[in-house]
Short mmCIF file of all heavy atoms in Angstrom, two decimals:
data_model
loop_
_atom_site.label_atom_id
_atom_site.label_comp_id
_atom_site.label_asym_id
_atom_site.label_seq_id
_atom_site.Cartn_x
_atom_site.Cartn_y
_atom_site.Cartn_z
N MET A 1480 -0.47 10.57 -21.43
CA MET A 1480 -0.80 9.24 -20.98
C MET A 1480 0.20 8.73 -19.95
O MET A 1480 -0.06 7.72 -19.31
CB MET A 1480 -0.86 8.27 -22.15
CG MET A 1480 -1.98 8.55 -23.16
SD MET A 1480 -3.64 8.53 -22.47
CE MET A 1480 -3.89 6.81 -22.23
N GLY A 1481 1.31 9.42 -19.79
CA GLY A 1481 2.33 9.00 -18.84
C GLY A 1481 1.83 8.90 -17.41
O GLY A 1481 2.09 7.90 -16.73
N PRO A 1482 1.13 9.93 -16.90
CA PRO A 1482 0.64 9.84 -15.52
C PRO A 1482 -0.35 8.69 -15.31
O PRO A 1482 -0.32 8.03 -14.27
CB PRO A 1482 -0.04 11.19 -15.29
CG PRO A 1482 0.53 12.10 -16.28
CD PRO A 1482 0.90 11.26 -17.46
N ILE A 1483 -1.18 8.45 -16.29
CA ILE A 1483 -2.18 7.39 -16.17
C ILE A 1483 -1.49 6.03 -16.11
O ILE A 1483 -1.81 5.19 -15.26
CB ILE A 1483 -3.20 7.47 -17.32
CG1 ILE A 1483 -4.00 8.77 -17.20
CG2 ILE A 1483 -4.12 6.26 -17.32
CD1 ILE A 1483 -4.86 9.09 -18.39
N PHE A 1484 -0.54 5.80 -17.02
CA PHE A 1484 0.18 4.53 -17.01
C PHE A 1484 1.02 4.38 -15.75
O PHE A 1484 1.16 3.27 -15.21
CB PHE A 1484 1.07 4.40 -18.24
CG PHE A 1484 0.29 4.20 -19.52
CD1 PHE A 1484 0.60 4.92 -20.65
CD2 PHE A 1484 -0.76 3.30 -19.58
CE1 PHE A 1484 -0.11 4.74 -21.82
CE2 PHE A 1484 -1.48 3.11 -20.75
CZ PHE A 1484 -1.15 3.84 -21.88
N GLY A 1485 1.59 5.47 -15.26
CA GLY A 1485 2.38 5.41 -14.04
C GLY A 1485 1.56 5.01 -12.83
O GLY A 1485 1.96 4.16 -12.03
N LEU A 1486 0.39 5.62 -12.68
CA LEU A 1486 -0.48 5.26 -11.55
C LEU A 1486 -0.99 3.84 -11.69
O LEU A 1486 -1.02 3.09 -10.71
CB LEU A 1486 -1.65 6.23 -11.45
CG LEU A 1486 -2.61 5.98 -10.28
CD1 LEU A 1486 -1.89 6.15 -8.95
CD2 LEU A 1486 -3.81 6.90 -10.36
N TRP A 1487 -1.36 3.43 -12.90
CA TRP A 1487 -1.84 2.07 -13.09
C TRP A 1487 -0.75 1.05 -12.79
O TRP A 1487 -1.00 0.02 -12.18
CB TRP A 1487 -2.37 1.88 -14.51
CG TRP A 1487 -2.94 0.52 -14.72
CD1 TRP A 1487 -2.38 -0.49 -15.42
CD2 TRP A 1487 -4.16 0.01 -14.18
NE1 TRP A 1487 -3.18 -1.61 -15.37
CE2 TRP A 1487 -4.29 -1.33 -14.62
CE3 TRP A 1487 -5.15 0.55 -13.38
CZ2 TRP A 1487 -5.37 -2.13 -14.27
CZ3 TRP A 1487 -6.24 -0.25 -13.04
CH2 TRP A 1487 -6.33 -1.56 -13.48
N ARG A 1488 0.48 1.36 -13.19
CA ARG A 1488 1.61 0.45 -12.94
C ARG A 1488 1.82 0.24 -11.44
O ARG A 1488 2.09 -0.87 -11.00
CB ARG A 1488 2.88 1.05 -13.56
CG ARG A 1488 4.14 0.24 -13.32
CD ARG A 1488 5.39 1.00 -13.74
NE ARG A 1488 5.53 2.18 -12.88
CZ ARG A 1488 5.70 3.41 -13.34
NH1 ARG A 1488 5.76 3.65 -14.62
NH2 ARG A 1488 5.82 4.44 -12.50
N ASP A 1489 1.64 1.29 -10.65
CA ASP A 1489 1.92 1.20 -9.22
C ASP A 1489 0.74 0.74 -8.37
O ASP A 1489 0.94 0.21 -7.28
CB ASP A 1489 2.40 2.56 -8.70
CG ASP A 1489 3.74 2.96 -9.28
OD1 ASP A 1489 4.45 2.09 -9.80
OD2 ASP A 1489 4.06 4.17 -9.20
N THR A 1490 -0.48 0.95 -8.85
CA THR A 1490 -1.65 0.66 -8.01
C THR A 1490 -2.72 -0.15 -8.73
O THR A 1490 -3.89 -0.08 -8.35
CB THR A 1490 -2.28 1.96 -7.49
OG1 THR A 1490 -2.71 2.73 -8.60
CG2 THR A 1490 -1.32 2.74 -6.64
N TRP A 1491 -2.35 -0.94 -9.72
CA TRP A 1491 -3.35 -1.71 -10.47
C TRP A 1491 -4.14 -2.63 -9.55
O TRP A 1491 -5.34 -2.80 -9.71
CB TRP A 1491 -2.71 -2.51 -11.60
CG TRP A 1491 -1.77 -3.57 -11.11
CD1 TRP A 1491 -0.44 -3.44 -10.89
CD2 TRP A 1491 -2.12 -4.91 -10.74
NE1 TRP A 1491 0.07 -4.61 -10.40
CE2 TRP A 1491 -0.93 -5.53 -10.31
CE3 TRP A 1491 -3.30 -5.63 -10.74
CZ2 TRP A 1491 -0.91 -6.85 -9.86
CZ3 TRP A 1491 -3.27 -6.94 -10.29
CH2 TRP A 1491 -2.08 -7.54 -9.88
N TRP A 1492 -3.49 -3.22 -8.55
CA TRP A 1492 -4.15 -4.16 -7.65
C TRP A 1492 -5.23 -3.48 -6.81
O TRP A 1492 -6.29 -4.04 -6.55
CB TRP A 1492 -3.11 -4.84 -6.76
CG TRP A 1492 -2.27 -3.85 -6.00
CD1 TRP A 1492 -1.12 -3.25 -6.42
CD2 TRP A 1492 -2.55 -3.32 -4.71
NE1 TRP A 1492 -0.66 -2.38 -5.47
CE2 TRP A 1492 -1.52 -2.40 -4.40
CE3 TRP A 1492 -3.56 -3.53 -3.78
CZ2 TRP A 1492 -1.49 -1.69 -3.21
CZ3 TRP A 1492 -3.52 -2.82 -2.59
CH2 TRP A 1492 -2.49 -1.92 -2.32
N LEU A 1493 -4.96 -2.23 -6.38
CA LEU A 1493 -5.92 -1.51 -5.55
C LEU A 1493 -7.18 -1.16 -6.35
O LEU A 1493 -8.30 -1.35 -5.88
CB LEU A 1493 -5.28 -0.24 -5.00
CG LEU A 1493 -6.15 0.65 -4.14
CD1 LEU A 1493 -6.55 -0.09 -2.87
CD2 LEU A 1493 -5.43 1.93 -3.80
N TRP A 1494 -6.99 -0.67 -7.57
CA TRP A 1494 -8.14 -0.30 -8.40
C TRP A 1494 -8.93 -1.53 -8.84
O TRP A 1494 -10.15 -1.47 -9.00
CB TRP A 1494 -7.69 0.54 -9.58
CG TRP A 1494 -7.13 1.83 -9.11
CD1 TRP A 1494 -5.82 2.15 -8.98
CD2 TRP A 1494 -7.86 2.97 -8.63
NE1 TRP A 1494 -5.70 3.43 -8.46
CE2 TRP A 1494 -6.92 3.94 -8.24
CE3 TRP A 1494 -9.22 3.25 -8.51
CZ2 TRP A 1494 -7.32 5.18 -7.74
CZ3 TRP A 1494 -9.59 4.49 -8.01
CH2 TRP A 1494 -8.64 5.44 -7.63
N THR A 1495 -8.25 -2.66 -8.98
CA THR A 1495 -8.94 -3.91 -9.29
C THR A 1495 -9.82 -4.34 -8.11
O THR A 1495 -10.96 -4.78 -8.31
CB THR A 1495 -7.92 -5.02 -9.63
OG1 THR A 1495 -7.10 -4.56 -10.72
CG2 THR A 1495 -8.61 -6.30 -10.01
N ILE A 1496 -9.31 -4.18 -6.90
CA ILE A 1496 -10.12 -4.49 -5.70
C ILE A 1496 -11.32 -3.56 -5.62
O ILE A 1496 -12.44 -4.00 -5.32
CB ILE A 1496 -9.26 -4.40 -4.43
CG1 ILE A 1496 -8.24 -5.54 -4.40
CG2 ILE A 1496 -10.12 -4.43 -3.17
CD1 ILE A 1496 -7.20 -5.42 -3.30
N PHE A 1497 -11.11 -2.26 -5.88
CA PHE A 1497 -12.23 -1.30 -5.86
C PHE A 1497 -13.31 -1.70 -6.85
O PHE A 1497 -14.51 -1.71 -6.52
CB PHE A 1497 -11.75 0.11 -6.19
CG PHE A 1497 -11.04 0.82 -5.08
CD1 PHE A 1497 -10.20 1.89 -5.37
CD2 PHE A 1497 -11.20 0.46 -3.76
CE1 PHE A 1497 -9.54 2.57 -4.37
CE2 PHE A 1497 -10.54 1.13 -2.74
CZ PHE A 1497 -9.71 2.19 -3.05
N MET A 1498 -12.93 -2.03 -8.06
CA MET A 1498 -13.92 -2.37 -9.09
C MET A 1498 -14.60 -3.71 -8.79
O MET A 1498 -15.79 -3.86 -9.06
CB MET A 1498 -13.26 -2.41 -10.47
CG MET A 1498 -12.94 -1.04 -11.01
SD MET A 1498 -14.44 -0.07 -11.18
CE MET A 1498 -13.85 1.52 -10.72
N THR A 1499 -13.88 -4.65 -8.22
CA THR A 1499 -14.49 -5.92 -7.83
C THR A 1499 -15.51 -5.71 -6.71
O THR A 1499 -16.60 -6.28 -6.75
CB THR A 1499 -13.41 -6.92 -7.38
OG1 THR A 1499 -12.45 -7.08 -8.44
CG2 THR A 1499 -14.00 -8.26 -7.02
N ALA A 1500 -15.16 -4.89 -5.73
CA ALA A 1500 -16.10 -4.58 -4.64
C ALA A 1500 -17.32 -3.85 -5.18
O ALA A 1500 -18.46 -4.12 -4.76
CB ALA A 1500 -15.41 -3.76 -3.57
N LEU A 1501 -17.12 -2.93 -6.11
CA LEU A 1501 -18.23 -2.21 -6.70
C LEU A 1501 -19.14 -3.16 -7.48
O LEU A 1501 -20.36 -3.09 -7.36
CB LEU A 1501 -17.71 -1.10 -7.63
CG LEU A 1501 -18.77 -0.29 -8.37
CD1 LEU A 1501 -19.62 0.48 -7.37
CD2 LEU A 1501 -18.12 0.65 -9.36
N LEU A 1502 -18.55 -4.05 -8.25
CA LEU A 1502 -19.34 -5.03 -9.00
C LEU A 1502 -20.11 -5.93 -8.04
O LEU A 1502 -21.28 -6.25 -8.29
CB LEU A 1502 -18.43 -5.85 -9.90
CG LEU A 1502 -19.11 -6.84 -10.82
CD1 LEU A 1502 -20.04 -6.13 -11.79
CD2 LEU A 1502 -18.08 -7.64 -11.58
N GLY A 1503 -19.48 -6.34 -6.95
CA GLY A 1503 -20.18 -7.15 -5.96
C GLY A 1503 -21.36 -6.41 -5.34
O GLY A 1503 -22.43 -6.99 -5.13
N ALA A 1504 -21.18 -5.13 -5.05
CA ALA A 1504 -22.27 -4.33 -4.49
C ALA A 1504 -23.40 -4.17 -5.49
O ALA A 1504 -24.58 -4.20 -5.12
CB ALA A 1504 -21.75 -2.96 -4.06
N VAL A 1505 -23.06 -4.03 -6.76
CA VAL A 1505 -24.09 -3.89 -7.80
C VAL A 1505 -24.88 -5.19 -7.92
O VAL A 1505 -26.11 -5.17 -8.04
CB VAL A 1505 -23.44 -3.51 -9.16
CG1 VAL A 1505 -24.42 -3.68 -10.29
CG2 VAL A 1505 -22.92 -2.09 -9.11
N ILE A 1506 -24.20 -6.32 -7.88
CA ILE A 1506 -24.88 -7.60 -8.07
C ILE A 1506 -25.68 -8.00 -6.83
O ILE A 1506 -26.84 -8.43 -6.94
CB ILE A 1506 -23.86 -8.70 -8.42
CG1 ILE A 1506 -23.28 -8.44 -9.81
CG2 ILE A 1506 -24.48 -10.08 -8.35
CD1 ILE A 1506 -22.12 -9.34 -10.18
N PHE A 1507 -25.09 -7.85 -5.64
CA PHE A 1507 -25.72 -8.39 -4.44
C PHE A 1507 -26.54 -7.38 -3.63
O PHE A 1507 -27.34 -7.79 -2.79
CB PHE A 1507 -24.65 -9.01 -3.53
CG PHE A 1507 -24.00 -10.22 -4.14
CD1 PHE A 1507 -22.67 -10.18 -4.49
CD2 PHE A 1507 -24.73 -11.37 -4.38
CE1 PHE A 1507 -22.06 -11.29 -5.07
CE2 PHE A 1507 -24.14 -12.48 -4.95
CZ PHE A 1507 -22.79 -12.44 -5.30
N VAL A 1508 -26.34 -6.09 -3.85
CA VAL A 1508 -27.08 -5.10 -3.06
C VAL A 1508 -28.09 -4.38 -3.93
O VAL A 1508 -29.29 -4.61 -3.82
CB VAL A 1508 -26.12 -4.11 -2.36
CG1 VAL A 1508 -26.90 -3.10 -1.56
CG2 VAL A 1508 -25.13 -4.84 -1.49
N THR A 1509 -27.60 -3.47 -4.79
CA THR A 1509 -28.49 -2.72 -5.66
C THR A 1509 -27.71 -2.14 -6.83
O THR A 1509 -26.54 -1.76 -6.67
CB THR A 1509 -29.19 -1.58 -4.88
OG1 THR A 1509 -30.03 -0.86 -5.77
CG2 THR A 1509 -28.20 -0.63 -4.26
N PRO A 1510 -28.32 -2.07 -8.00
CA PRO A 1510 -27.65 -1.48 -9.16
C PRO A 1510 -27.37 0.02 -9.00
O PRO A 1510 -26.63 0.60 -9.79
CB PRO A 1510 -28.64 -1.71 -10.31
CG PRO A 1510 -29.50 -2.83 -9.87
CD PRO A 1510 -29.57 -2.73 -8.38
N PHE A 1511 -27.94 0.62 -7.98
CA PHE A 1511 -27.70 2.05 -7.73
C PHE A 1511 -26.21 2.35 -7.55
O PHE A 1511 -25.75 3.45 -7.82
CB PHE A 1511 -28.49 2.49 -6.49
CG PHE A 1511 -28.40 3.96 -6.23
CD1 PHE A 1511 -29.07 4.86 -7.04
CD2 PHE A 1511 -27.64 4.46 -5.18
CE1 PHE A 1511 -28.99 6.23 -6.80
CE2 PHE A 1511 -27.54 5.80 -4.94
CZ PHE A 1511 -28.23 6.70 -5.75
N PHE A 1512 -25.44 1.36 -7.09
CA PHE A 1512 -24.01 1.56 -6.88
C PHE A 1512 -23.25 1.80 -8.18
O PHE A 1512 -22.09 2.22 -8.14
CB PHE A 1512 -23.40 0.37 -6.13
CG PHE A 1512 -23.66 0.40 -4.66
CD1 PHE A 1512 -24.60 -0.44 -4.09
CD2 PHE A 1512 -22.98 1.27 -3.83
CE1 PHE A 1512 -24.85 -0.42 -2.74
CE2 PHE A 1512 -23.21 1.30 -2.47
CZ PHE A 1512 -24.16 0.45 -1.92
N LEU A 1513 -23.86 1.55 -9.33
CA LEU A 1513 -23.20 1.84 -10.61
C LEU A 1513 -22.89 3.32 -10.76
O LEU A 1513 -22.01 3.70 -11.51
CB LEU A 1513 -24.07 1.38 -11.78
CG LEU A 1513 -23.90 -0.06 -12.19
CD1 LEU A 1513 -24.86 -0.40 -13.32
CD2 LEU A 1513 -22.49 -0.34 -12.62
N PHE A 1514 -23.62 4.17 -10.03
CA PHE A 1514 -23.35 5.60 -10.10
C PHE A 1514 -22.00 5.96 -9.49
O PHE A 1514 -21.51 7.07 -9.67
CB PHE A 1514 -24.46 6.39 -9.40
CG PHE A 1514 -25.74 6.41 -10.19
CD1 PHE A 1514 -26.86 5.73 -9.73
CD2 PHE A 1514 -25.82 7.07 -11.40
CE1 PHE A 1514 -28.04 5.73 -10.45
CE2 PHE A 1514 -26.99 7.08 -12.13
CZ PHE A 1514 -28.10 6.41 -11.66
N MET A 1515 -21.39 5.02 -8.76
CA MET A 1515 -20.06 5.28 -8.18
C MET A 1515 -18.93 5.06 -9.18
O MET A 1515 -17.82 5.52 -8.96
CB MET A 1515 -19.84 4.39 -6.95
CG MET A 1515 -20.68 4.79 -5.77
SD MET A 1515 -20.21 3.91 -4.29
CE MET A 1515 -18.54 4.43 -4.08
N ALA A 1516 -19.19 4.35 -10.27
CA ALA A 1516 -18.15 4.05 -11.26
C ALA A 1516 -17.51 5.33 -11.82
O ALA A 1516 -16.28 5.41 -11.88
CB ALA A 1516 -18.70 3.17 -12.37
N PRO A 1517 -18.28 6.35 -12.21
CA PRO A 1517 -17.63 7.57 -12.68
C PRO A 1517 -16.80 8.26 -11.60
O PRO A 1517 -15.78 8.89 -11.90
CB PRO A 1517 -18.80 8.47 -13.11
CG PRO A 1517 -19.91 7.53 -13.39
CD PRO A 1517 -19.72 6.39 -12.44
N ALA A 1518 -17.20 8.12 -10.35
CA ALA A 1518 -16.42 8.72 -9.26
C ALA A 1518 -15.06 8.06 -9.16
O ALA A 1518 -14.05 8.74 -8.92
CB ALA A 1518 -17.18 8.60 -7.94
N PHE A 1519 -14.99 6.74 -9.35
CA PHE A 1519 -13.70 6.05 -9.33
C PHE A 1519 -12.82 6.50 -10.48
O PHE A 1519 -11.61 6.65 -10.32
CB PHE A 1519 -13.89 4.53 -9.38
CG PHE A 1519 -14.29 3.92 -8.06
CD1 PHE A 1519 -15.24 2.92 -8.02
CD2 PHE A 1519 -13.74 4.34 -6.87
CE1 PHE A 1519 -15.62 2.35 -6.83
CE2 PHE A 1519 -14.10 3.78 -5.66
CZ PHE A 1519 -15.04 2.78 -5.64
N VAL A 1520 -13.41 6.73 -11.64
CA VAL A 1520 -12.63 7.20 -12.80
C VAL A 1520 -12.07 8.59 -12.51
O VAL A 1520 -10.89 8.86 -12.78
CB VAL A 1520 -13.49 7.20 -14.07
CG1 VAL A 1520 -12.76 7.85 -15.23
CG2 VAL A 1520 -13.91 5.78 -14.43
N VAL A 1521 -12.88 9.46 -11.95
CA VAL A 1521 -12.43 10.82 -11.63
C VAL A 1521 -11.32 10.78 -10.58
O VAL A 1521 -10.31 11.48 -10.71
CB VAL A 1521 -13.61 11.69 -11.16
CG1 VAL A 1521 -13.13 13.01 -10.58
CG2 VAL A 1521 -14.57 11.93 -12.31
N MET A 1522 -11.48 9.94 -9.54
CA MET A 1522 -10.42 9.81 -8.52
C MET A 1522 -9.13 9.31 -9.13
O MET A 1522 -8.05 9.81 -8.82
CB MET A 1522 -10.86 8.86 -7.40
CG MET A 1522 -11.80 9.45 -6.42
SD MET A 1522 -12.05 8.40 -4.98
CE MET A 1522 -12.71 6.92 -5.71
N PHE A 1523 -9.22 8.31 -10.00
CA PHE A 1523 -8.04 7.75 -10.64
C PHE A 1523 -7.30 8.82 -11.44
O PHE A 1523 -6.09 8.98 -11.31
CB PHE A 1523 -8.43 6.58 -11.54
CG PHE A 1523 -7.26 5.93 -12.21
CD1 PHE A 1523 -6.52 4.97 -11.54
CD2 PHE A 1523 -6.89 6.27 -13.50
CE1 PHE A 1523 -5.43 4.37 -12.15
CE2 PHE A 1523 -5.81 5.68 -14.11
CZ PHE A 1523 -5.08 4.72 -13.44
N LEU A 1524 -8.03 9.56 -12.25
CA LEU A 1524 -7.40 10.60 -13.08
C LEU A 1524 -6.82 11.72 -12.22
O LEU A 1524 -5.74 12.24 -12.51
CB LEU A 1524 -8.40 11.15 -14.09
CG LEU A 1524 -8.84 10.18 -15.17
CD1 LEU A 1524 -9.93 10.81 -16.02
CD2 LEU A 1524 -7.66 9.75 -16.02
N TYR A 1525 -7.53 12.10 -11.15
CA TYR A 1525 -7.02 13.13 -10.26
C TYR A 1525 -5.68 12.72 -9.66
O TYR A 1525 -4.70 13.46 -9.72
CB TYR A 1525 -8.03 13.41 -9.15
CG TYR A 1525 -7.48 14.31 -8.07
CD1 TYR A 1525 -7.38 15.68 -8.29
CD2 TYR A 1525 -7.04 13.80 -6.86
CE1 TYR A 1525 -6.85 16.51 -7.31
CE2 TYR A 1525 -6.51 14.62 -5.88
CZ TYR A 1525 -6.43 15.98 -6.11
OH TYR A 1525 -5.90 16.78 -5.14
N PHE A 1526 -5.62 11.52 -9.08
CA PHE A 1526 -4.38 11.06 -8.47
C PHE A 1526 -3.28 10.87 -9.50
O PHE A 1526 -2.11 11.10 -9.23
CB PHE A 1526 -4.59 9.78 -7.67
CG PHE A 1526 -5.27 10.02 -6.36
CD1 PHE A 1526 -6.53 9.52 -6.12
CD2 PHE A 1526 -4.66 10.78 -5.37
CE1 PHE A 1526 -7.17 9.74 -4.91
CE2 PHE A 1526 -5.28 11.01 -4.16
CZ PHE A 1526 -6.54 10.49 -3.93
N ALA A 1527 -3.65 10.46 -10.71
CA ALA A 1527 -2.64 10.27 -11.75
C ALA A 1527 -1.97 11.59 -12.10
O ALA A 1527 -0.73 11.67 -12.17
CB ALA A 1527 -3.28 9.65 -13.00
N PHE A 1528 -2.74 12.63 -12.32
CA PHE A 1528 -2.16 13.89 -12.75
C PHE A 1528 -1.55 14.70 -11.62
O PHE A 1528 -0.71 15.56 -11.86
CB PHE A 1528 -3.19 14.71 -13.52
CG PHE A 1528 -3.46 14.14 -14.89
CD1 PHE A 1528 -4.61 13.44 -15.15
CD2 PHE A 1528 -2.53 14.29 -15.90
CE1 PHE A 1528 -4.85 12.90 -16.40
CE2 PHE A 1528 -2.75 13.75 -17.16
CZ PHE A 1528 -3.92 13.05 -17.41
N VAL A 1529 -1.95 14.43 -10.38
CA VAL A 1529 -1.36 15.14 -9.24
C VAL A 1529 -0.06 14.48 -8.80
O VAL A 1529 0.92 15.16 -8.49
CB VAL A 1529 -2.37 15.22 -8.07
CG1 VAL A 1529 -1.71 15.68 -6.80
CG2 VAL A 1529 -3.51 16.15 -8.44
N ARG A 1530 -0.02 13.15 -8.78
CA ARG A 1530 1.12 12.44 -8.21
C ARG A 1530 2.19 12.00 -9.21
O ARG A 1530 3.27 11.60 -8.80
CB ARG A 1530 0.62 11.19 -7.46
CG ARG A 1530 -0.31 11.49 -6.33
CD ARG A 1530 0.34 12.27 -5.23
NE ARG A 1530 1.41 11.49 -4.63
CZ ARG A 1530 2.29 11.97 -3.79
NH1 ARG A 1530 2.22 13.22 -3.41
NH2 ARG A 1530 3.24 11.21 -3.31
N TYR A 1531 1.91 12.05 -10.51
CA TYR A 1531 2.86 11.56 -11.51
C TYR A 1531 3.15 12.64 -12.55
O TYR A 1531 2.27 13.41 -12.92
CB TYR A 1531 2.31 10.30 -12.19
CG TYR A 1531 2.27 9.11 -11.25
CD1 TYR A 1531 1.22 8.93 -10.37
CD2 TYR A 1531 3.30 8.20 -11.21
CE1 TYR A 1531 1.19 7.87 -9.49
CE2 TYR A 1531 3.29 7.14 -10.33
CZ TYR A 1531 2.24 6.99 -9.47
OH TYR A 1531 2.23 5.94 -8.59
N ASP A 1532 4.41 12.66 -13.02
CA ASP A 1532 4.77 13.64 -14.04
C ASP A 1532 4.42 13.12 -15.43
O ASP A 1532 3.83 12.05 -15.58
CB ASP A 1532 6.26 14.00 -13.93
CG ASP A 1532 7.18 12.85 -14.22
OD1 ASP A 1532 6.72 11.77 -14.63
OD2 ASP A 1532 8.39 13.02 -14.03
N GLU A 1533 4.76 13.88 -16.45
CA GLU A 1533 4.38 13.53 -17.82
C GLU A 1533 5.10 12.28 -18.33
O GLU A 1533 4.69 11.70 -19.34
CB GLU A 1533 4.64 14.70 -18.78
CG GLU A 1533 6.08 15.14 -18.86
CD GLU A 1533 6.46 16.12 -17.76
OE1 GLU A 1533 5.58 16.59 -17.01
OE2 GLU A 1533 7.66 16.41 -17.65
N ASN A 1534 6.14 11.83 -17.64
CA ASN A 1534 6.84 10.60 -18.03
C ASN A 1534 6.35 9.39 -17.26
O ASN A 1534 6.90 8.29 -17.44
CB ASN A 1534 8.35 10.76 -17.82
CG ASN A 1534 8.92 11.85 -18.71
OD1 ASN A 1534 8.50 12.00 -19.85
ND2 ASN A 1534 9.84 12.62 -18.18
N GLY A 1535 5.40 9.56 -16.36
CA GLY A 1535 4.87 8.45 -15.57
C GLY A 1535 5.69 8.12 -14.35
O GLY A 1535 5.52 7.07 -13.76
N LYS A 1536 6.55 9.05 -13.93
CA LYS A 1536 7.35 8.83 -12.72
C LYS A 1536 6.70 9.53 -11.54
O LYS A 1536 6.19 10.64 -11.66
CB LYS A 1536 8.76 9.36 -12.93
CG LYS A 1536 9.51 8.63 -14.00
CD LYS A 1536 10.89 9.21 -14.18
CE LYS A 1536 11.59 8.48 -15.34
NZ LYS A 1536 12.81 9.14 -15.71
N ASN A 1537 6.76 8.88 -10.38
CA ASN A 1537 6.18 9.45 -9.17
C ASN A 1537 6.93 10.72 -8.80
O ASN A 1537 8.15 10.75 -8.79
CB ASN A 1537 6.27 8.42 -8.04
CG ASN A 1537 5.41 8.81 -6.85
OD1 ASN A 1537 5.00 9.95 -6.72
ND2 ASN A 1537 5.16 7.85 -6.00
N ARG A 1538 6.19 11.77 -8.49
CA ARG A 1538 6.82 13.03 -8.12
C ARG A 1538 7.39 13.01 -6.71
O ARG A 1538 8.15 13.89 -6.33
CB ARG A 1538 5.80 14.16 -8.24
CG ARG A 1538 5.38 14.42 -9.65
CD ARG A 1538 4.46 15.58 -9.73
NE ARG A 1538 3.99 15.73 -11.11
CZ ARG A 1538 3.13 16.61 -11.50
NH1 ARG A 1538 2.61 17.45 -10.63
NH2 ARG A 1538 2.77 16.69 -12.75
N GLY A 1539 7.01 12.04 -5.90
CA GLY A 1539 7.49 11.98 -4.53
C GLY A 1539 6.76 12.97 -3.66
O GLY A 1539 5.68 13.41 -3.95
N ASP A 1540 7.39 13.33 -2.55
CA ASP A 1540 6.78 14.31 -1.65
C ASP A 1540 6.84 15.69 -2.28
O ASP A 1540 7.84 16.11 -2.82
CB ASP A 1540 7.52 14.34 -0.31
CG ASP A 1540 7.24 13.10 0.51
OD1 ASP A 1540 6.19 12.48 0.29
OD2 ASP A 1540 8.08 12.74 1.34
N MET A 1541 5.73 16.38 -2.15
CA MET A 1541 5.64 17.72 -2.72
C MET A 1541 5.79 18.75 -1.66
O MET A 1541 5.33 18.76 -0.64
CB MET A 1541 4.34 17.89 -3.47
CG MET A 1541 4.29 17.06 -4.71
SD MET A 1541 2.88 17.56 -5.67
CE MET A 1541 2.31 16.03 -6.24
#
């Protein structure tokens, strides 16, 4: 859980904007945009495990 908490700690505002924009698209455009929600979860987990170590610290440049 360290990488997930580390990414959330550093980028919570960005993911909140993404989810707000997605919710706005679902309400005002079409519910079809709900299919993007799992893609955001996959992106979040990918970046968490690639960029953060098991203690939740940023690995820096690789």
Side-chain angles (χ1 to χ4, degrees):
M1480 295 302 286
I1483 295 170
F1484 289 134
L1486 181 63
W1487 183 253
R1488 178 190 64 232
D1489 294 342
T1490 61
W1491 65 269
W1492 56 272
L1493 179 64
W1494 295 100
T1495 303
I1496 291 170
F1497 283 159
M1498 286 299 143
T1499 304
L1501 178 64
L1502 184 62
V1505 167
I1506 292 172
F1507 295 113
V1508 180
T1509 179
F1511 185 73
F1512 281 105
L1513 274 178
F1514 288 111
M1515 290 189 61
F1519 282 139
V1520 173
V1521 169
M1522 282 190 300
F1523 181 84
L1524 293 175
Y1525 171 77
F1526 284 115
F1528 287 104
V1529 168
R1530 300 295 297 170
Y1531 291 83
D1532 65 7
E1533 60 275 352
N1534 297 322
K1536 296 179 183 170
N1537 193 343
R1538 293 184 184 177
D1540 289 335
M1541 291 191 220

